[in-house]
């Protein structure tokens, strides 16, 4: 169906010298809830290079959005417990004083949310909101900030950008608002953009426009992006690398092609097989039985074991170790090597 | 089950017109929502559904697709008479709906039921699952004891263990389980037509597949007809026999699923399909299928409503509204491109 195609970026044969932009290790997050301690993130480790697009793929409750918020230190401090380290450009985000953190947010690292109507301020124009961010972070004059705001609206391809500068969020359509949100996030040239389901609330034709825009901006600005999605299609359209999350862990990590065409974790394989495609007409869909686990009562072993078709009923006492199949290619399953050639979604 | 009653309240509604008569036919259905404002001049309206006609054959699944604001959910609510249409007629198996002499609301709701997207909002949080399921049968004159039996039986049919679910409350269930309950409730009166309005859209993919399998099974078991409304073209491709494509309150195209997916005739249908996400990282979409957002139904473009985003727009498109044109094989599209008499410059070679 697509007119042409570009291959996903090749596997990370990292240039030895380049230090990663972001390096996350041993990240755990838990929340105090009325029903007990919910373990949302249970040990996430990864690194991200400059200019790389990583998709966190998972179902609701898998911890993908919490991971994003943890990276930006946006989780409510009273109710959440965060451990581990998040190094951005070598600085540990969780050791910075709050004042430094405020300067980092919106400048080095910024975020695009699912629902721009809730993320934008309804009583300021788009232009004012972008200009305010620029003045605050860079101390430029108001006139200079407004000129930059106009440039940004043009960069995100908002038609008649000059007029839209003075528009309020409610005066724009959903697609325009999401473009404005992206312009706001880009206002101080962040080196890391976090996008939480940025196209889920949009119509199909608009979703594709925004995904193409994100891909283009990411390449143009050499910006690292972490994109959270539940939609395999979004990952296939955008990701250099894909991390599949389940019960607060990366269960699989690799290039988009590796993960989506040669899944090595039974959950990834199940997710791919149960995603509906037209050519499955007339036959029952493969499903993953059961439901994701309760985060307040995770099993001690593999969290996916109760639903796993390969599970043999033997109880693991700890989460299965990460199995590294090659550099940058991991599956957290004792069967990772044996899974080669299992279900693949693409032709 | 009905030994003591000549006609038991839960006996399936008999077929009237035979297999060839459409189960549902809709003519020129229209709903304009009045808006605030308009002190001078005419009061503004949102033309949510603007004169649509279609029919649903017995035993088929009609998929309805389109972007937000195209009127798909308003259409569903009009069919269920949750809102009253401004004009147009709806006929259910030969019987008129909403007229004085036709089917009463009560009779209609026995024949037609609906499942909504938000599984939590559609269940009463203070009723147990048993009470929610038994409610409609009791309204229709079934004893509480029998209604509770029916509830247990229905839960079993949708794959939930009655012993553990009947006494629970909606908040104790997961999204997938609640949607199963909603489906069970829709089936409690043995309807002939079930409208599924984005019924699987809020579910996680692995759960969505489970519920789709269930819907296919139940359709065969209960001899149902579905209207399946969804924005997800892959799901519609999987489940629908025929597809209705809507744009801004109008029917853009309708036809068998193979024709719509294989040879889409309306430029909007083509654009919608090329906006489908690739599942293969080696086959990424490179060109934007359509510019801009869908326009506002409050002030839709004149003539063809798609012309403002259409790559083939010509002057005739602004002047004349295209009628739904039969293309053969059950496919029809509302586009001047397919009518050599329309005066569209590209019409000749396209036809």
């Amino acid at each position: 169906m697509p007119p042409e195609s570009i291959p996903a970026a090749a596997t990370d044969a990292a240039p030895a010298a380049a230090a990663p932009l972001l390096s996350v290790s041993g990240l755990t997050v838990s929340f105090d809830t009325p029903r007990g301690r919910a373990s949302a993130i249970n040990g996430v480790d990864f690194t991200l290079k400059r200019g790389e697009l990583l998709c966190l793929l998972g179902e609701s409750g898998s911890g993908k959005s919490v991971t994003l918020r943890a990276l930006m230190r946006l989780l409510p401090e009273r109710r959440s417990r965060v451990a581990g380290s998040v190094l951005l450009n070598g600085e540990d985000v969780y050791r910075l004083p709050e004042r430094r953190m405020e300067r980092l947010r919106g400048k080095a690292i910024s975020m695009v949310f699912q629902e721009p109507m809730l993320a934008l301020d309804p009583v300021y124009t788009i232009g004012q909101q972008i200009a305010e961010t620029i003045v605050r972070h860079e101390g430029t004059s108001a006139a200079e900030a407004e000129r930059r705001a106009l440039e940004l609206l043009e960069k995100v391809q908002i038609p008649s950008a000059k007029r839209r500068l003075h528009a309020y969020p409610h005066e724009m359509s959903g697609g325009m608002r999401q473009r404005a949100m992206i312009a706001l996030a880009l206002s101080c040239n962040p080196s890391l953009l976090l996008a939480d389901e940025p196209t889920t609330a949009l119509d199909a034709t608009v979703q594709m426009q925004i995904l193409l825009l994100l891909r283009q901006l990411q390449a143009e600005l050499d910006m690292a992006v972490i994109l959270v999605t539940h939609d395999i299609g979004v990952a296939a359209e955008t990701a250099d690398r894909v991390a599949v999350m389940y019960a607060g862990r990366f269960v699989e990590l690799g290039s988009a092609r590796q993960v989506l065409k040669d899944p090595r974790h039974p959950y990834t394989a199940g997710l791919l097989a149960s995603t509906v495609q037209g050519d499955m007409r007339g036959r029952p869909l493969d499903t993953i039985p059961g439901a994701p686990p309760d985060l307040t009562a995770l099993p001690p072993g593999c969290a996916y074991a109760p639903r796993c078709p390969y599970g043999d009923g033997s109880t693991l006492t700890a989460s299965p170790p990460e199995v590294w199949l090659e550099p940058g290619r991991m599956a957290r399953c004792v069967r990772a090597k044996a899974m080669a050639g299992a279900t693949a979604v693409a032709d | 089950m009905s030994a003591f009653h000549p006609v038991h309240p839960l006996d399936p509604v008999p077929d009237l017109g035979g297999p060839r008569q459409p189960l549902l036919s809709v003519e020129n259905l229209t709903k304009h929502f009045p808006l605030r404002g308009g002190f001078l001049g005419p009061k503004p309206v949102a033309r949510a559904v603007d004169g649509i006609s279609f029919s649903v054959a017995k035993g088929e699944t009609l998929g309805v697709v389109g972007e937000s604001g195209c009127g798909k959910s308003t259409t569903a609510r009009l069919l269920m008479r949750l809102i009253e249409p401004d004009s147009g007629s709806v006929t259910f198996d030969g019987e008129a709906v909403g007229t004085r002499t036709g089917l009463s609301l009560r009779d209609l709701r026995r024949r037609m039921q609906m499942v909504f997207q938000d599984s939590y909002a559609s269940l009463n949080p203070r009723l147990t699952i048993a009470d929610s399921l038994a409610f409609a049968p009791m309204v229709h004159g079934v004893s509480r004891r029998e209604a509770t039996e029916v509830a247990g039986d229905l839960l079993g049919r949708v794959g939930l263990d009655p012993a553990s679910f009947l006494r629970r409350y909606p908040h104790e269930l997961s999204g997938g389980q609640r949607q199963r309950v909603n489906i069970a409730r829709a089936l409690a009166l043995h309807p002939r037509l079930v409208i599924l309005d984005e019924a699987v859209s809020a579910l996680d993919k692995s759960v969505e597949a489970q519920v789709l399998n269930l819907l296919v099974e139940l359709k065969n078991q209960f001899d149902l007809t579905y209207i399946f409304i969804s924005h997800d073209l892959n799901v519609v491709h999987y489940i629908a026999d025929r597809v209705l494509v809507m744009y801004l309150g109008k029917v853009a195209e309708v036809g068998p699923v193979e024709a719509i997916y294989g040879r889409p005739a309306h430029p909007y249908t083509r654009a919608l399909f090329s906006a489908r996400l690739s599942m293969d990282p080696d086959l990424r979409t490179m060109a934007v299928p359509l510019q801009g957002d869908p326009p506002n139904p409050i002030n839709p473009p004149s003539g063809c409503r798609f012309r403002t985003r259409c790559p083939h727009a010509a002057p005739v498109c602004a002047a004349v509204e295209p009628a739904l044109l039969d293309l053969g094989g059950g496919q029809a599209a509302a586009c001047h491109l397919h009518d050599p008499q329309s005066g569209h410059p590209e019409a000749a070679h396209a036809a």
Side-chain angles (χ1 to χ4, degrees):
Chain A
M1 181 134 303
E4 314 162 42
S5 59
I6 44 156
T11 353
D12 30 333
L21 172 73
L22 178 75
S23 158
V24 177
S25 55
L27 183 68
T28 65
V29 177
S30 60
F31 298 105
D32 292 323
T33 72
R35 293 173 47 239
R37 174 87 55 89
S39 315
I41 308 288
N42 301 299
V44 159
D45 307 82
F46 68 96
T47 59
L48 189 68
K49 286 181 300 192
R50 209 168 283 281
E52 187 176 40
L53 199 154
L54 171 71
C55 263
L56 304 185
L57 181 65
E59 298 185 276
S60 41
S62 62
K64 49 198 195 308
S65 295
V66 176
T67 304
L68 274 202
R69 281 167 173 72
L71 297 184
M72 226 174 161
R73 220 169 105 184
L74 279 178
L75 296 168
E77 268 175 36
R78 275 202 204 142
R79 285 190 296 112
S80 51
R81 291 158 204 245
V82 184
S85 76
V86 176
L87 298 177
L88 180 68
N89 276 326
E91 273 187 308
D92 192 334
V93 165
Y94 278 88
R95 297 201 168 181
L96 293 176
E98 182 56 34
R99 282 228 337 270
R100 285 279 308 285
M101 195 59 220
E102 273 169 24
R103 262 183 279 161
L104 207 67
R105 280 189 209 114
K107 186 159 169 62
I109 175 170
S110 64
M111 186 131 148
V112 174
F113 296 88
Q114 177 173 346
E115 193 29 86
M117 199 56 198
L118 299 176
L120 293 168
D121 193 324
V123 301
Y124 292 97
T125 65
I126 297 300
Q128 284 168 333
Q129 295 185 49
I130 297 176
E132 184 204 3
T133 309
I134 296 172
V135 171
R136 170 114 188 246
H137 282 296
E138 303 189 358
T140 58
S141 70
E144 164 68 8
E146 185 165 324
R147 192 190 59 74
R148 288 257 304 272
L150 178 63
E151 240 176 57
L152 283 159
L153 290 194
E154 281 163 357
K155 189 175 261 172
V156 297
Q157 298 157 17
I158 289 185
S160 37
K162 197 150 197 162
R163 196 160 50 81
R164 301 288 184 166
L165 216 47
H166 306 291
Y168 290 92
H170 76 269
E171 297 174 309
M172 304 175 109
S173 64
M176 281 308 140
R177 274 201 292 268
Q178 196 56 290
R179 285 172 195 270
M181 177 86 234
I182 293 171
L184 179 61
L186 297 182
S187 51
C188 296
N189 301 316
S191 41
L192 174 61
L193 180 72
L194 308 177
D196 190 359
E197 303 266 10
T199 60
T200 306
L202 303 174
D203 281 317
T205 53
V206 182
Q207 156 162 290
M208 189 53 88
Q209 296 167 12
I210 298 290
L211 290 179
L212 288 176
L213 175 71
L214 274 175
R215 234 164 54 190
Q216 182 196 333
L217 290 171
Q218 183 237 351
E220 216 176 281
L221 306 173
D222 194 29
M223 179 172 63
V225 178
I226 302 181
L227 198 156
V228 157
T229 183
H230 70 280
D231 191 332
I232 293 169
V234 169
E237 287 281 0
T238 59
D240 297 324
R241 285 199 299 155
V242 174
V244 181
M245 291 194 73
Y246 191 80
R249 286 199 177 90
F250 281 10
V251 293
E252 179 151 9
L253 178 68
S255 74
R257 188 185 298 122
Q258 288 169 335
V259 173
L260 300 180
K261 292 192 155 184
D262 181 21
R264 296 301 186 89
H265 193 285
Y267 173 65
T268 315
L271 201 59
L272 290 169
S274 62
T275 297
V276 184
Q277 294 186 74
D279 54 15
M280 298 170 175
R281 263 184 83 73
R283 58 191 173 89
L285 299 163
D286 293 323
T287 62
I288 301 178
D294 181 353
L295 295 176
T296 57
L298 285 176
C302 174
Y304 187 61
R307 307 173 75 187
C308 184
Y310 303 102
D312 55 2
S314 66
T315 339
L316 293 166
T317 47
S319 173
E322 297 180 338
V323 176
W324 289 90
L325 301 157
E326 56 186 277
R329 178 81 178 110
M330 179 280 286
R332 197 184 273 275
C333 177
V334 289
R335 289 184 50 91
K337 292 200 170 85
M339 283 286 294
T343 338
V345 71
D347 324 323
Chain B
M1 196 152 72
S2 61
F4 304 110
H5 304 274
V7 178
H8 188 275
L10 294 187
D11 280 346
V13 180
D15 184 62
L16 292 180
R20 302 285 295 276
Q21 171 163 296
L23 185 61
L24 186 78
S25 56
V26 174
E27 286 294 328
N28 267 319
L29 195 65
T30 301
K31 180 71 188 178
H32 294 175
F33 291 107
L35 301 163
R36 277 188 303 172
F39 297 110
L40 305 165
K43 208 165 170 56
V45 292
R47 304 161 82 90
V49 172
D50 211 10
I52 63 166
S53 306
F54 64 92
S55 64
V56 187
K58 285 172 184 163
E60 78 169 350
T61 298
L62 177 73
V64 181
V65 301
E67 295 177 282
S68 51
C70 75
K72 21 184 223 302
S73 291
T74 306
T75 303
R77 282 161 174 74
L78 288 171
L79 295 178
M80 281 298 290
R81 295 274 153 167
L82 294 172
I83 46 179
E84 282 297 306
D86 296 341
S87 62
S89 68
V90 176
T91 312
F92 193 96
D93 201 9
E95 296 183 280
V97 176
T99 61
R100 249 175 343 117
T101 52
L103 280 179
S104 68
L105 204 60
R106 189 186 162 96
D107 289 340
L108 176 71
R109 301 263 168 88
R110 269 220 56 194
R111 288 160 175 75
M112 195 194 290
Q113 283 285 322
M114 184 158 168
V115 179
F116 299 85
Q117 173 169 6
D118 187 335
S119 63
Y120 191 66
S122 32
L123 288 169
N124 185 332
R126 293 169 183 272
L127 293 188
T128 61
I129 302 307
D131 289 342
S132 275
L133 293 177
F135 195 90
M138 282 165 64
V139 166
H140 283 263
V142 175
S143 71
R144 173 175 285 276
R145 248 197 64 207
E146 194 188 335
T148 310
E149 265 171 44
V150 169
D153 175 55
L154 286 166
L155 273 186
R157 304 262 200 151
V158 298
L160 299 175
D161 175 21
S164 76
F165 282 94
L166 274 175
R167 277 187 297 276
R168 292 207 214 174
Y169 286 89
H171 74 266
E172 299 174 294
L173 271 57
S174 72
Q177 290 166 343
R178 276 199 300 266
Q179 205 56 305
R180 287 172 189 265
V181 171
N182 282 313
I183 292 167
R185 182 180 57 176
L187 298 179
L189 297 175
H190 290 274
R192 301 184 65 193
L193 176 67
V194 180
I195 302 175
L196 301 149
D197 187 3
E198 303 275 8
V200 298
S201 306
L203 304 175
D204 275 322
K205 290 291 166 197
S206 65
V207 181
E208 178 186 82
Q210 295 170 7
V211 174
L212 284 172
N213 281 344
L214 174 70
L215 287 173
V216 172
E217 259 175 60
L218 292 172
K219 180 167 182 276
N220 296 330
Q221 258 180 50
F222 288 87
D223 204 10
L224 295 169
T225 299
Y226 286 152
I227 295 181
F228 191 95
I229 299 173
S230 178
H231 69 282
D232 187 330
L233 295 169
N234 290 324
V235 172
V236 170
H237 195 178
Y238 174 74
I239 203 160
D241 301 307
R242 282 196 314 132
V243 179
L244 183 77
V245 183
M246 290 186 69
Y247 190 75
L248 278 187
K250 295 276 185 191
V251 175
E253 184 164 2
V254 61
V257 67
E258 304 82 22
I260 297 284
Y261 281 73
R263 308 179 297 280
H266 197 288
Y268 175 62
T269 316
R270 283 184 220 146
L272 197 60
F273 286 177
S274 60
R276 270 196 292 181
L277 298 170
S278 161
M279 291 287 161
D280 184 343
D282 291 322
L283 295 171
R284 290 188 171 168
T285 310
M286 294 311 293
V288 176
L290 271 187
Q291 297 291 343
D293 295 50
N296 198 322
I298 294 169
N299 199 359
S302 68
C304 173
R305 295 193 172 178
F306 183 58
R307 70 179 165 83
T308 51
R309 300 170 81 197
C310 182
H312 304 283
V316 63
C317 302
V320 184
E321 187 183 323
L324 210 54
L325 191 76
D326 189 359
L327 303 174
Q331 189 177 8
C335 178
H336 290 312
L337 276 179
H338 297 282
D339 181 5
Q341 265 86 57
S342 67
H344 192 291
E346 293 170 54
H349 77 248

